[in-house]
Amino acid sequence: MKFSISKTAFQEALQVVQGVVSLRSTLPILSNVLIKADKKHLTLTTTDLDVSMRCNVDATIKSSGATSLPVRRLLSIVRELPEGNVDVEVDDKNAATIKAGAAFFKIMGLSEDEFPPSPTVEGGTAHGMAQASLRDMFRKTSYAVSTDETRRVLNGVHLSFRGDKLTMVATDGRRLALVEHAIDVPDKSEKDMIIPSKAVKELVHVLKDEGDAQLHVLDKQVAVECANVLMVCKLIEGNYPNFRQVVPSQCEERVTVERESLLVALRRVSLLTTDKANSVRLTFAKNKIEISTVTPDVGEAREAIPIKYSGKQISVAFNPEYVMDPLRNMDDDEIFFELVDDLSPGVIKCASPFVYVLMPMRIS
Amino acid sequence: MTIGNRDDRQLPHTIMSRTIMHLDMDAFYAAIEQLDNPELVGKPVIVGASPDKRGVVATASYEARAFGVHSAMPSRTAGRLCPNGVFVPVRMSRYAEVSGQLMDVLESFTPLVEKISVDEAFMDVTGVLHLWKDALSLARAIKDRIRAELKLTGSIGVAPNKFLAKLSSDMDKPDGLTVAPTIEKEIIAFLAPLPVGRLWGVGGKTNERLNSLGIHTVEHIQQRPMEELRTILGERMAAHLSALAHGRDERSVETGNEEKSISNEMTYGEDCRDPARVRETLLRLAEKVSHRLRRSGKLATTAQIKLRFSDFRTITRQLPLQPATDNDRSLLNAAVELFEKENVREPIRLVGFGVSNLSRPGQARDEEQQLLFPALDSDLQDEKDTKLDHALDEIRERFGTGSVGRAGGKGRNR
C-alpha cells in the first residue's frame, strides 16, 4: 500500500477517529487505526468494540491495500510534520514509512486481518436532520448524563422518535435536560434508544455547522452518517426512567434572567463553596434574584441580579454546578427560571423547546 | 486540644466555681474477667494477647501489676515477668456492656456525664451538690453504688476542674478517693512536684524538649516567666501549659463528647508478605469498624488505613468519604482504595483501619441533594446495602463478629 496525502487532511481525519480509541485497551489491535487505500481515498476506522468511527479522506493512492497502525503515535507524528504532502508506504510486514519534507519515520503496524470486522448498517429507519441541530441537541443535554457506572441506563443520552419530533433527554437523577426538535417520524418507526455518552461526545466533535446528518436507527445499534464520517455504536439496553413525570407541568413563579449575568454571578458566589458545603441559595425576592452561600469556617458570598419580580419570596438551595451546566450550553441571551417553593425542583427554560429540571438540596 | 480554642464555648457556669469529678475504674477489663469467672479472683489476670503471640496487654489486674505488668506492654514481656499470669482474651462487647451499666449509674447522680472511654468519665456535680452534705459524701455514694450494682471498684478525683480531677483520681488507686485542694496556693503546691509530662498536652516530643531545657516538674513551668515559655513553646502552648500548671482549666464537661474516631487493627503472628492477605485482613477490619460505627449511630467523613512494616516504620493514609457514611460498601471500598494506592511490596507487621470526623446524621450543615427518581436502581442499591449491613450486624451481634462476612473478604483474591 502506498499513498500520498496532504498533511492537513490526514491530521483532520485521524483526529476524527482517534477519540474512540481507548487509552487502556487490553487488545493491542484496538489501539490501531485501520487504514484502507482504495481508488481515490483512504478509509480510516477505529473501534473500542462498542463504538466505531470511520472517516473517508481524499488521497492519491499509488497502490491500494490495507494495514493498521497505532493511531495515537501516527497522529502525533502527522501533527508535527511540515505542511505539504505526506508520503506513506506500508510493506507486507505492516511496517509503515512516513516521509514529509526531510522527516522520515518508520512505525510498526498490525495486519488488517486482526482488526475487528466493521459493523454492518442495514435495515432500520433513517432520519435526516441538520448536523448543527443534532449537535446542538447533544450539547444541550449530554452534560447531564450520569457518570455513575452502576446506573447503566443513565450513562447515555435518551433519544425518542415519536409523533413529529425527536426528544432528547439526559439525567443523572439529580437534574434532567430535555430538548426537542421537529422531525418527521413515520408511525412505524417510533423508537426509543439510549446512545452511550462516549459516542455522543465523539459526535459532538464530528458534527459540523453545515450539512445534513443521517441517523440510521437499528435494533441494537445506531449509525450516524455525516459527510465523510460514519459512527456506529451499540445502544445501551434497559428501561430509561419515566422522565416525563418529573417535568413539572406548571410553575408558581417565573422570571426572565439574563443568562450571562446569572452565569457569572453563580461562578463568583460558588467560589466560596467547598466539597462539604456545595450549595448556593437562589432567592427570588422583589425585583431581584439573590445568589448567596455561607460556608462555616470559610466565609460567605452574595450577589443580586436585577429582574422583574413581584411574587412571593422563594429561596432554594442548589448545587451551583448544576445550575451553571445548562447556562454554559445555551446560546440564548435570556432564559426563564421557574420555582415553586423552597423544596421543589427549579426549572430552566428558553425560547426554544428546552427544559432543564433541577432538584434542590435540602439543608438541615 | 488546647484551652484556647474552647474559649468560645465557655458556659456561664464556668465562671463560678465548679465541682468536677473524674472516675477511673480499677483494672476494668481484668476486674470484669474476675467478676465473670470467680476462679480468677486473687490471681494475676492479664487481659490481652496470649504470651506466645505478638500483641499487647490491654489491662492487668493489680495482682499482675505487682509483677511489673502494665497495659500496652508486649504480651511476651508480660509472660516473662509474670509466668503464672492468667492470660485471657479481650472481650470488648462485654466490657462495653458493663460500661453502659456504669454510665447509667453515673447518670443517676447527674446528667452531666462525659464518657471518655469505657472505664473513665467526668461528671460535673456542681448543680447537684446541694443535695448532699458535701462533695466527699457524694463521691462516696457514687463509689458505693458502683460497688453494689456492678461489684467493681473505681477511683474518684474531686476538683474544681477536669484537669485537677483527673490528676486526683490517679493519686490513690485502686479504690481511691482524692479531693484536690481548691485554694490557689494549695493547688500550686499540689501540682509543683509532678513531672511536667502529667500536664495535659505534653506528649513525648514536648516532654523531651522541656526536659532538655531543664523543665522537669510542673514547678519549673510555674516559675518560668511567661515570655520565656512563649519562646520555647509558642504562644498557644505556653498559655495552655501555664494555665494548667497553675491548676486552671476551663473546659466544661461535655455530655455530647462522644467518640471522635473508631478503629481496629491487627498484628500478624508473622509478618505478612502476601498483599492479598493484608487486603483481606483490611476488609475484615473495615467490616468491624463499619459495624461499630453503625452501632454508634454516627457517620464518618474520613477513612484511614495504618500499615506497620517489619522495621516498625508505620504509615497512615487517609481518604475523605463523600458523603458521610456508615455503609459497609463505602468503607470497604475506601480501605481497598487506600491500600491499593500504597502498592505495598514489603512484609507487613500490623494493619489497621479506622474512621474519624464522626457526625450524627443531620448534624452541622448537612446537605442532601434531592433526587428526581428516588426509586431508581442505585438508590435501591444503597437501600439494599443498608438493609444488608443491618442484617449482617444482627448476625454478628448474635453469633460473633467472625460469623459472617462478604465474599470479597474471605475466599477471593488468594
Side-chain angles (χ1 to χ4, degrees), chain A residues 148 150-151 153-154 172-173 239 241, chain B residues 327 329 371-389:
Chain A
D148 177 354
T150 63
R151 312 173 95 180
V153 294
L154 300 189
D172 60 4
N239 292 323
Chain B
N327 179 299
R329 192 166 58 149
L371 300 173
L372 284 162
F373 312 99
L376 218 62
D377 49 357
S378 160
D379 312 312
L380 282 175
Q381 187 59 48
D382 280 352
E383 249 168 60
K384 274 188 215 154
D385 276 359
T386 307
K387 276 188 193 154
L388 176 63
D389 289 351

PDB file of all heavy atoms in Angstrom, chain A residues 148 150-151 153-154 172-173 239 241, chain B residues 327 329 371-389:
ATOM      1  N   ASP A 148     -22.140   7.642  36.922  1.00  0.00           N
ATOM      2  CA  ASP A 148     -22.159   6.524  37.856  1.00  0.00           C
ATOM      3  C   ASP A 148     -22.381   5.231  37.078  1.00  0.00           C
ATOM      4  O   ASP A 148     -23.459   4.982  36.556  1.00  0.00           O
ATOM      5  CB  ASP A 148     -23.300   6.754  38.860  1.00  0.00           C
ATOM      6  CG  ASP A 148     -23.435   5.597  39.838  1.00  0.00           C
ATOM      7  OD1 ASP A 148     -22.725   4.584  39.670  1.00  0.00           O
ATOM      8  OD2 ASP A 148     -24.255   5.713  40.753  1.00  0.00           O
ATOM      9  N   THR A 150     -22.828   2.346  37.868  1.00  0.00           N
ATOM     10  CA  THR A 150     -23.794   1.359  38.340  1.00  0.00           C
ATOM     11  C   THR A 150     -25.195   1.670  37.823  1.00  0.00           C
ATOM     12  O   THR A 150     -26.109   0.893  38.001  1.00  0.00           O
ATOM     13  CB  THR A 150     -23.839   1.311  39.876  1.00  0.00           C
ATOM     14  OG1 THR A 150     -24.287   2.580  40.355  1.00  0.00           O
ATOM     15  CG2 THR A 150     -22.486   0.991  40.457  1.00  0.00           C
ATOM     16  N   ARG A 151     -25.346   2.841  37.204  1.00  0.00           N
ATOM     17  CA  ARG A 151     -26.657   3.174  36.654  1.00  0.00           C
ATOM     18  C   ARG A 151     -26.524   3.236  35.149  1.00  0.00           C
ATOM     19  O   ARG A 151     -26.515   4.306  34.552  1.00  0.00           O
ATOM     20  CB  ARG A 151     -27.125   4.518  37.215  1.00  0.00           C
ATOM     21  CG  ARG A 151     -26.983   4.608  38.703  1.00  0.00           C
ATOM     22  CD  ARG A 151     -27.298   5.988  39.191  1.00  0.00           C
ATOM     23  NE  ARG A 151     -28.688   6.055  39.618  1.00  0.00           N
ATOM     24  CZ  ARG A 151     -29.236   7.174  40.101  1.00  0.00           C
ATOM     25  NH1 ARG A 151     -28.555   8.273  40.169  1.00  0.00           N
ATOM     26  NH2 ARG A 151     -30.487   7.165  40.497  1.00  0.00           N
ATOM     27  N   VAL A 153     -28.320   2.665  32.502  1.00  0.00           N
ATOM     28  CA  VAL A 153     -29.242   3.335  31.580  1.00  0.00           C
ATOM     29  C   VAL A 153     -29.067   4.847  31.578  1.00  0.00           C
ATOM     30  O   VAL A 153     -29.435   5.512  30.620  1.00  0.00           O
ATOM     31  CB  VAL A 153     -30.731   3.005  31.869  1.00  0.00           C
ATOM     32  CG1 VAL A 153     -31.032   1.543  31.596  1.00  0.00           C
ATOM     33  CG2 VAL A 153     -31.135   3.402  33.267  1.00  0.00           C
ATOM     34  N   LEU A 154     -28.487   5.377  32.656  1.00  0.00           N
ATOM     35  CA  LEU A 154     -28.316   6.833  32.704  1.00  0.00           C
ATOM     36  C   LEU A 154     -26.977   7.276  32.126  1.00  0.00           C
ATOM     37  O   LEU A 154     -26.671   8.456  32.089  1.00  0.00           O
ATOM     38  CB  LEU A 154     -28.454   7.342  34.146  1.00  0.00           C
ATOM     39  CG  LEU A 154     -29.784   7.074  34.855  1.00  0.00           C
ATOM     40  CD1 LEU A 154     -29.842   7.820  36.167  1.00  0.00           C
ATOM     41  CD2 LEU A 154     -30.962   7.477  33.972  1.00  0.00           C
ATOM     42  N   ASP A 172     -28.913  12.529  35.471  1.00  0.00           N
ATOM     43  CA  ASP A 172     -28.116  11.739  36.394  1.00  0.00           C
ATOM     44  C   ASP A 172     -28.912  11.491  37.673  1.00  0.00           C
ATOM     45  O   ASP A 172     -28.365  11.099  38.696  1.00  0.00           O
ATOM     46  CB  ASP A 172     -26.786  12.432  36.711  1.00  0.00           C
ATOM     47  CG  ASP A 172     -26.981  13.795  37.341  1.00  0.00           C
ATOM     48  OD1 ASP A 172     -28.141  14.173  37.595  1.00  0.00           O
ATOM     49  OD2 ASP A 172     -25.977  14.486  37.572  1.00  0.00           O
ATOM     50  N   GLY A 173     -30.206  11.758  37.600  1.00  0.00           N
ATOM     51  CA  GLY A 173     -31.055  11.525  38.764  1.00  0.00           C
ATOM     52  C   GLY A 173     -31.172  12.738  39.664  1.00  0.00           C
ATOM     53  O   GLY A 173     -31.987  12.768  40.575  1.00  0.00           O
ATOM     54  N   ASN A 239     -34.405  -0.032  30.519  1.00  0.00           N
ATOM     55  CA  ASN A 239     -35.518   0.908  30.529  1.00  0.00           C
ATOM     56  C   ASN A 239     -35.094   2.239  31.109  1.00  0.00           C
ATOM     57  O   ASN A 239     -34.608   2.311  32.235  1.00  0.00           O
ATOM     58  CB  ASN A 239     -36.679   0.352  31.358  1.00  0.00           C
ATOM     59  CG  ASN A 239     -37.297  -0.849  30.674  1.00  0.00           C
ATOM     60  OD1 ASN A 239     -37.402  -0.899  29.437  1.00  0.00           O
ATOM     61  ND2 ASN A 239     -37.681  -1.840  31.469  1.00  0.00           N
ATOM     62  N   PRO A 241     -35.734   5.747  32.828  1.00  0.00           N
ATOM     63  CA  PRO A 241     -36.799   6.161  33.762  1.00  0.00           C
ATOM     64  C   PRO A 241     -37.821   7.070  33.070  1.00  0.00           C
ATOM     65  O   PRO A 241     -37.500   7.736  32.091  1.00  0.00           O
ATOM     66  CB  PRO A 241     -36.047   6.922  34.855  1.00  0.00           C
ATOM     67  CG  PRO A 241     -34.699   7.224  34.300  1.00  0.00           C
ATOM     68  CD  PRO A 241     -34.408   6.192  33.280  1.00  0.00           C
TER      69      PRO A 241
ATOM     70  N   ASN B 327     -21.797   3.066  55.712  1.00  0.00           N
ATOM     71  CA  ASN B 327     -22.139   1.968  54.831  1.00  0.00           C
ATOM     72  C   ASN B 327     -20.926   1.057  54.638  1.00  0.00           C
ATOM     73  O   ASN B 327     -19.838   1.515  54.341  1.00  0.00           O
ATOM     74  CB  ASN B 327     -22.576   2.645  53.525  1.00  0.00           C
ATOM     75  CG  ASN B 327     -22.947   1.692  52.458  1.00  0.00           C
ATOM     76  OD1 ASN B 327     -22.124   0.892  52.032  1.00  0.00           O
ATOM     77  ND2 ASN B 327     -24.181   1.776  52.024  1.00  0.00           N
ATOM     78  N   ARG B 329     -20.114  -0.953  52.239  1.00  0.00           N
ATOM     79  CA  ARG B 329     -19.510  -0.939  50.925  1.00  0.00           C
ATOM     80  C   ARG B 329     -18.591   0.268  50.759  1.00  0.00           C
ATOM     81  O   ARG B 329     -17.476   0.155  50.265  1.00  0.00           O
ATOM     82  CB  ARG B 329     -20.589  -0.933  49.844  1.00  0.00           C
ATOM     83  CG  ARG B 329     -20.019  -1.198  48.466  1.00  0.00           C
ATOM     84  CD  ARG B 329     -21.084  -1.519  47.467  1.00  0.00           C
ATOM     85  NE  ARG B 329     -22.061  -0.440  47.377  1.00  0.00           N
ATOM     86  CZ  ARG B 329     -22.712  -0.150  46.256  1.00  0.00           C
ATOM     87  NH1 ARG B 329     -22.494  -0.841  45.172  1.00  0.00           N
ATOM     88  NH2 ARG B 329     -23.590   0.815  46.243  1.00  0.00           N
ATOM     89  N   LEU B 371     -33.447  13.917  44.862  1.00  0.00           N
ATOM     90  CA  LEU B 371     -33.372  13.121  43.643  1.00  0.00           C
ATOM     91  C   LEU B 371     -34.655  13.180  42.826  1.00  0.00           C
ATOM     92  O   LEU B 371     -35.748  13.311  43.370  1.00  0.00           O
ATOM     93  CB  LEU B 371     -33.075  11.665  44.008  1.00  0.00           C
ATOM     94  CG  LEU B 371     -31.754  11.471  44.755  1.00  0.00           C
ATOM     95  CD1 LEU B 371     -31.627  10.039  45.235  1.00  0.00           C
ATOM     96  CD2 LEU B 371     -30.574  11.857  43.896  1.00  0.00           C
ATOM     97  N   LEU B 372     -34.461  13.096  41.526  1.00  0.00           N
ATOM     98  CA  LEU B 372     -35.606  13.108  40.620  1.00  0.00           C
ATOM     99  C   LEU B 372     -36.355  11.780  40.651  1.00  0.00           C
ATOM    100  O   LEU B 372     -37.565  11.731  40.596  1.00  0.00           O
ATOM    101  CB  LEU B 372     -35.119  13.355  39.191  1.00  0.00           C
ATOM    102  CG  LEU B 372     -34.720  14.780  38.820  1.00  0.00           C
ATOM    103  CD1 LEU B 372     -33.879  14.762  37.564  1.00  0.00           C
ATOM    104  CD2 LEU B 372     -35.963  15.630  38.599  1.00  0.00           C
ATOM    105  N   PHE B 373     -35.582  10.695  40.686  1.00  0.00           N
ATOM    106  CA  PHE B 373     -36.198   9.364  40.649  1.00  0.00           C
ATOM    107  C   PHE B 373     -35.737   8.602  41.889  1.00  0.00           C
ATOM    108  O   PHE B 373     -34.836   7.780  41.802  1.00  0.00           O
ATOM    109  CB  PHE B 373     -35.760   8.592  39.404  1.00  0.00           C
ATOM    110  CG  PHE B 373     -35.873   9.375  38.135  1.00  0.00           C
ATOM    111  CD1 PHE B 373     -34.756   9.994  37.598  1.00  0.00           C
ATOM    112  CD2 PHE B 373     -37.088   9.502  37.479  1.00  0.00           C
ATOM    113  CE1 PHE B 373     -34.850  10.719  36.426  1.00  0.00           C
ATOM    114  CE2 PHE B 373     -37.186  10.221  36.310  1.00  0.00           C
ATOM    115  CZ  PHE B 373     -36.064  10.839  35.776  1.00  0.00           C
ATOM    116  N   PRO B 374     -36.324   8.898  43.014  1.00  0.00           N
ATOM    117  CA  PRO B 374     -35.786   8.316  44.248  1.00  0.00           C
ATOM    118  C   PRO B 374     -35.782   6.793  44.235  1.00  0.00           C
ATOM    119  O   PRO B 374     -35.042   6.175  44.972  1.00  0.00           O
ATOM    120  CB  PRO B 374     -36.731   8.851  45.330  1.00  0.00           C
ATOM    121  CG  PRO B 374     -37.420  10.001  44.710  1.00  0.00           C
ATOM    122  CD  PRO B 374     -37.492   9.722  43.246  1.00  0.00           C
ATOM    123  N   ALA B 375     -36.572   6.203  43.393  1.00  0.00           N
ATOM    124  CA  ALA B 375     -36.667   4.743  43.433  1.00  0.00           C
ATOM    125  C   ALA B 375     -35.701   4.060  42.479  1.00  0.00           C
ATOM    126  O   ALA B 375     -35.704   2.847  42.354  1.00  0.00           O
ATOM    127  CB  ALA B 375     -38.092   4.318  43.116  1.00  0.00           C
ATOM    128  N   LEU B 376     -34.876   4.870  41.822  1.00  0.00           N
ATOM    129  CA  LEU B 376     -34.036   4.273  40.788  1.00  0.00           C
ATOM    130  C   LEU B 376     -32.977   3.316  41.328  1.00  0.00           C
ATOM    131  O   LEU B 376     -32.617   3.350  42.477  1.00  0.00           O
ATOM    132  CB  LEU B 376     -33.370   5.395  39.988  1.00  0.00           C
ATOM    133  CG  LEU B 376     -33.269   5.081  38.505  1.00  0.00           C
ATOM    134  CD1 LEU B 376     -34.644   4.915  37.904  1.00  0.00           C
ATOM    135  CD2 LEU B 376     -32.532   6.199  37.804  1.00  0.00           C
ATOM    136  N   ASP B 377     -32.465   2.506  40.413  1.00  0.00           N
ATOM    137  CA  ASP B 377     -31.610   1.376  40.791  1.00  0.00           C
ATOM    138  C   ASP B 377     -30.545   1.671  41.840  1.00  0.00           C
ATOM    139  O   ASP B 377     -30.463   1.008  42.859  1.00  0.00           O
ATOM    140  CB  ASP B 377     -30.948   0.773  39.549  1.00  0.00           C
ATOM    141  CG  ASP B 377     -30.310   1.828  38.665  1.00  0.00           C
ATOM    142  OD1 ASP B 377     -30.435   3.021  38.993  1.00  0.00           O
ATOM    143  OD2 ASP B 377     -29.693   1.465  37.672  1.00  0.00           O
ATOM    144  N   SER B 378     -29.791   2.733  41.620  1.00  0.00           N
ATOM    145  CA  SER B 378     -28.677   2.973  42.532  1.00  0.00           C
ATOM    146  C   SER B 378     -29.167   3.288  43.937  1.00  0.00           C
ATOM    147  O   SER B 378     -28.564   2.879  44.927  1.00  0.00           O
ATOM    148  CB  SER B 378     -27.827   4.115  41.997  1.00  0.00           C
ATOM    149  OG  SER B 378     -27.064   4.652  43.013  1.00  0.00           O
ATOM    150  N   ASP B 379     -30.273   4.015  43.994  1.00  0.00           N
ATOM    151  CA  ASP B 379     -30.815   4.331  45.302  1.00  0.00           C
ATOM    152  C   ASP B 379     -31.318   3.055  45.964  1.00  0.00           C
ATOM    153  O   ASP B 379     -31.127   2.829  47.142  1.00  0.00           O
ATOM    154  CB  ASP B 379     -31.945   5.337  45.170  1.00  0.00           C
ATOM    155  CG  ASP B 379     -31.517   6.484  44.266  1.00  0.00           C
ATOM    156  OD1 ASP B 379     -30.417   6.989  44.489  1.00  0.00           O
ATOM    157  OD2 ASP B 379     -32.260   6.821  43.351  1.00  0.00           O
ATOM    158  N   LEU B 380     -31.936   2.232  45.126  1.00  0.00           N
ATOM    159  CA  LEU B 380     -32.375   0.942  45.638  1.00  0.00           C
ATOM    160  C   LEU B 380     -31.183   0.168  46.156  1.00  0.00           C
ATOM    161  O   LEU B 380     -31.228  -0.468  47.191  1.00  0.00           O
ATOM    162  CB  LEU B 380     -33.046   0.133  44.518  1.00  0.00           C
ATOM    163  CG  LEU B 380     -34.476   0.539  44.198  1.00  0.00           C
ATOM    164  CD1 LEU B 380     -34.977  -0.246  42.999  1.00  0.00           C
ATOM    165  CD2 LEU B 380     -35.362   0.255  45.400  1.00  0.00           C
ATOM    166  N   GLN B 381     -30.093   0.265  45.383  1.00  0.00           N
ATOM    167  CA  GLN B 381     -28.881  -0.455  45.761  1.00  0.00           C
ATOM    168  C   GLN B 381     -28.414  -0.010  47.140  1.00  0.00           C
ATOM    169  O   GLN B 381     -28.100  -0.831  47.997  1.00  0.00           O
ATOM    170  CB  GLN B 381     -27.792  -0.182  44.721  1.00  0.00           C
ATOM    171  CG  GLN B 381     -26.543  -1.010  44.913  1.00  0.00           C
ATOM    172  CD  GLN B 381     -26.847  -2.494  44.849  1.00  0.00           C
ATOM    173  OE1 GLN B 381     -27.521  -2.969  43.954  1.00  0.00           O
ATOM    174  NE2 GLN B 381     -26.370  -3.231  45.833  1.00  0.00           N
ATOM    175  N   ASP B 382     -28.412   1.304  47.345  1.00  0.00           N
ATOM    176  CA  ASP B 382     -27.991   1.824  48.640  1.00  0.00           C
ATOM    177  C   ASP B 382     -28.877   1.288  49.741  1.00  0.00           C
ATOM    178  O   ASP B 382     -28.411   0.885  50.794  1.00  0.00           O
ATOM    179  CB  ASP B 382     -28.076   3.355  48.654  1.00  0.00           C
ATOM    180  CG  ASP B 382     -26.874   3.960  47.960  1.00  0.00           C
ATOM    181  OD1 ASP B 382     -25.955   3.183  47.641  1.00  0.00           O
ATOM    182  OD2 ASP B 382     -26.871   5.167  47.741  1.00  0.00           O
ATOM    183  N   GLU B 383     -30.177   1.294  49.431  1.00  0.00           N
ATOM    184  CA  GLU B 383     -31.112   0.794  50.423  1.00  0.00           C
ATOM    185  C   GLU B 383     -30.834  -0.669  50.732  1.00  0.00           C
ATOM    186  O   GLU B 383     -30.791  -1.077  51.867  1.00  0.00           O
ATOM    187  CB  GLU B 383     -32.538   0.909  49.874  1.00  0.00           C
ATOM    188  CG  GLU B 383     -33.371   1.943  50.590  1.00  0.00           C
ATOM    189  CD  GLU B 383     -34.632   2.215  49.819  1.00  0.00           C
ATOM    190  OE1 GLU B 383     -35.407   1.272  49.618  1.00  0.00           O
ATOM    191  OE2 GLU B 383     -34.808   3.367  49.392  1.00  0.00           O
ATOM    192  N   LYS B 384     -30.604  -1.416  49.640  1.00  0.00           N
ATOM    193  CA  LYS B 384     -30.296  -2.829  49.818  1.00  0.00           C
ATOM    194  C   LYS B 384     -29.053  -2.969  50.673  1.00  0.00           C
ATOM    195  O   LYS B 384     -28.988  -3.797  51.561  1.00  0.00           O
ATOM    196  CB  LYS B 384     -30.045  -3.487  48.451  1.00  0.00           C
ATOM    197  CG  LYS B 384     -31.294  -3.974  47.764  1.00  0.00           C
ATOM    198  CD  LYS B 384     -30.875  -4.775  46.543  1.00  0.00           C
ATOM    199  CE  LYS B 384     -31.855  -4.578  45.404  1.00  0.00           C
ATOM    200  NZ  LYS B 384     -31.230  -4.803  44.103  1.00  0.00           N
ATOM    201  N   ASP B 385     -28.046  -2.142  50.353  1.00  0.00           N
ATOM    202  CA  ASP B 385     -26.809  -2.188  51.115  1.00  0.00           C
ATOM    203  C   ASP B 385     -27.077  -1.953  52.593  1.00  0.00           C
ATOM    204  O   ASP B 385     -26.579  -2.655  53.446  1.00  0.00           O
ATOM    205  CB  ASP B 385     -25.840  -1.117  50.612  1.00  0.00           C
ATOM    206  CG  ASP B 385     -25.055  -1.608  49.424  1.00  0.00           C
ATOM    207  OD1 ASP B 385     -25.273  -2.773  49.047  1.00  0.00           O
ATOM    208  OD2 ASP B 385     -24.258  -0.845  48.889  1.00  0.00           O
ATOM    209  N   THR B 386     -27.882  -0.908  52.847  1.00  0.00           N
ATOM    210  CA  THR B 386     -28.165  -0.572  54.230  1.00  0.00           C
ATOM    211  C   THR B 386     -28.854  -1.737  54.915  1.00  0.00           C
ATOM    212  O   THR B 386     -28.495  -2.130  56.021  1.00  0.00           O
ATOM    213  CB  THR B 386     -29.062   0.672  54.275  1.00  0.00           C
ATOM    214  OG1 THR B 386     -28.430   1.675  53.487  1.00  0.00           O
ATOM    215  CG2 THR B 386     -29.242   1.165  55.677  1.00  0.00           C
ATOM    216  N   LYS B 387     -29.825  -2.314  54.228  1.00  0.00           N
ATOM    217  CA  LYS B 387     -30.531  -3.456  54.809  1.00  0.00           C
ATOM    218  C   LYS B 387     -29.573  -4.610  55.057  1.00  0.00           C
ATOM    219  O   LYS B 387     -29.600  -5.239  56.103  1.00  0.00           O
ATOM    220  CB  LYS B 387     -31.653  -3.915  53.861  1.00  0.00           C
ATOM    221  CG  LYS B 387     -32.913  -3.099  54.044  1.00  0.00           C
ATOM    222  CD  LYS B 387     -34.043  -3.711  53.241  1.00  0.00           C
ATOM    223  CE  LYS B 387     -35.216  -2.746  53.156  1.00  0.00           C
ATOM    224  NZ  LYS B 387     -36.020  -2.987  51.967  1.00  0.00           N
ATOM    225  N   LEU B 388     -28.733  -4.858  54.053  1.00  0.00           N
ATOM    226  CA  LEU B 388     -27.775  -5.949  54.181  1.00  0.00           C
ATOM    227  C   LEU B 388     -26.845  -5.692  55.365  1.00  0.00           C
ATOM    228  O   LEU B 388     -26.606  -6.580  56.184  1.00  0.00           O
ATOM    229  CB  LEU B 388     -26.963  -6.069  52.886  1.00  0.00           C
ATOM    230  CG  LEU B 388     -25.847  -7.112  52.872  1.00  0.00           C
ATOM    231  CD1 LEU B 388     -26.422  -8.508  53.040  1.00  0.00           C
ATOM    232  CD2 LEU B 388     -25.051  -7.034  51.575  1.00  0.00           C
ATOM    233  N   ASP B 389     -26.348  -4.456  55.447  1.00  0.00           N
ATOM    234  CA  ASP B 389     -25.453  -4.109  56.553  1.00  0.00           C
ATOM    235  C   ASP B 389     -26.107  -4.385  57.896  1.00  0.00           C
ATOM    236  O   ASP B 389     -25.503  -4.950  58.802  1.00  0.00           O
ATOM    237  CB  ASP B 389     -25.051  -2.626  56.486  1.00  0.00           C
ATOM    238  CG  ASP B 389     -24.097  -2.353  55.331  1.00  0.00           C
ATOM    239  OD1 ASP B 389     -23.634  -3.337  54.730  1.00  0.00           O
ATOM    240  OD2 ASP B 389     -23.835  -1.189  55.050  1.00  0.00           O
TER     241      ASP B 389
END
